[in-house]
Amino acid sequence: MTDPVTTPEESMRQKIDTSVPHSARIWNYWLGGKDNYPVDEEAGDAYTAVFPGIVTIARSSRAFLRRTITYLVSEAGIRQFLDVGTGLPTAQNTHEVAQGLAPEARIVYVDNDPMVLAHARALLYSSREGATAYIDADVTDPDRILEAAARTLDLGRPTALILSNILGHVADHDRARSIVTRLMDALPPGSYLAVNDGSRGIDPVFEEAQDAYNDSGAVPYNLRTVDEITAYFDGLELIEPGVVPVTQWRPDPGAPTPEVVAEHGGLARKP
């Protein structure tokens, strides 16, 4: 008797647990995407019932990513990107923004969610001149990330490390800082670090909703104080205006006066 054959698609479905909400799928739901399940929509709706502003935070986070990558390509001359914890593909993904400005840009996405990886491989096509690769790895394993990334990126050349709404999944802040340090230590001078995460001490309603979500059985996401987020950039040169609400980081010319949101981010250069 032969063993049954399992296709990659069946393997992916076997790994995806649709009985509990998943942060990447909920985030996709808030961004207006369709790659989620009823359990994710229910959790997302329950969250927004307590804190409707989470949709603004999600979309402001995506806009911050677009603006930082635009700066990195157009003003800093960066052509290599390591995007850790990329999440489900939506509009204006890292490679779309970067290669739209510099087709030769090379991007490596990192995630350990089978649904994210399957969608990334199916939807995220590189430009002909550049490259896009996908690594199945966890943010808590920086050595594996760096080893795999080196197959696509020349880590001897300046590279931008993107950590967007991922470090909150590392419960211990000191451990999160050590991960950032390990990754940045492997990159040469002239490289950049972009971080944005949900912030504590800004909006008590947001904190109440997030604490309730963390107690629901879903994978928790830990809000950090602004000082804790700023600490990720220790030893680096922060680009103006520093660590600020993501809505206030170099807003588009002519945009309305940005509101303060409980999501802080910044961009810094390695000297």
Side-chain angles (χ1 to χ4, degrees):
M1 223 176 138
T2 58
D3 293 331
V5 175
T6 302
T7 67
E9 291 78 10
E10 288 170 340
S11 177
M12 182 191 77
R13 285 196 294 270
Q14 290 170 5
K15 293 179 182 179
I16 295 173
D17 186 352
T18 61
S19 66
V20 296
H22 188 285
S23 60
R25 300 194 305 256
I26 295 171
W27 198 255
N28 176 267
Y29 176 55
W30 287 331
L31 287 173
K34 304 298 182 185
D35 296 315
N36 43 72
Y37 294 95
V39 67
D40 306 306
E41 296 181 11
E42 291 169 9
D45 289 342
Y47 198 117
T48 56
V50 177
F51 180 60
I54 189 61
V55 174
T56 298
I57 286 178
R59 295 179 181 180
S60 298
S61 172
R62 176 59 52 157
F64 169 80
L65 178 67
R66 171 183 57 78
R67 296 196 304 275
T68 54
I69 294 170
T70 299
Y71 173 91
L72 287 164
V73 174
S74 300
E75 299 190 43
I78 295 296
R79 296 295 184 268
Q80 299 194 128
F81 296 81
L82 179 57
D83 186 339
V84 180
T86 178
L88 284 163
T90 55
Q92 298 182 318
N93 300 287
T94 297
H95 79 288
E96 292 171 327
V97 178
Q99 293 181 345
L101 297 166
E104 72 276 17
R106 305 176 73 84
I107 295 87
V108 170
Y109 290 108
V110 181
D111 212 295
N112 69 336
D113 182 279
M115 184 174 180
V116 168
L117 292 166
H119 280 75
R121 292 189 178 102
L123 298 175
L124 303 184
Y125 293 101
S126 174
S127 65
R128 186 175 302 175
E129 301 90 337
T132 302
Y134 319 94
I135 298 172
D136 183 357
D138 192 280
V139 66
T140 59
D141 193 354
D143 289 337
R144 172 179 169 80
I145 290 171
L146 291 166
E147 179 186 2
R151 298 170 196 154
T152 301
L153 307 178
D154 178 357
L155 298 183
R157 295 175 52 209
T159 301
L161 173 63
I162 310 294
L163 295 164
S164 180
N165 290 108
I166 184 64
L167 294 173
H169 289 298
V170 182
D172 183 79
H173 182 246
D174 287 338
R175 187 182 186 194
R177 289 186 64 188
S178 72
I179 291 167
V180 175
T181 299
R182 174 69 186 97
L183 291 169
M184 287 304 297
D185 281 351
L187 303 181
S191 294
Y192 284 79
L193 170 66
V195 174
N196 60 286
D197 263 312
S199 46
R200 187 173 290 277
I202 307 299
D203 190 330
V205 181
F206 178 32
E207 294 169 22
E208 177 186 348
Q210 188 61 46
D211 291 343
Y213 174 85
N214 290 350
D215 292 338
S216 71
V219 176
Y221 179 87
N222 302 277
L223 303 179
R224 309 287 193 207
T225 66
V226 177
D227 285 345
E228 287 174 327
I229 295 172
T230 303
Y232 294 132
F233 299 100
D234 284 355
L236 306 177
E237 300 170 346
L238 275 165
I239 305 301
E240 290 293 334
V243 177
V244 296
V246 291
T247 48
Q248 298 183 358
W249 196 91
R250 296 180 174 242
D252 294 325
T257 302
E259 61 181 299
V260 174
V261 296
E263 168 95 7
H264 279 66
L267 177 67
R269 181 181 182 275
K270 181 175 179 178

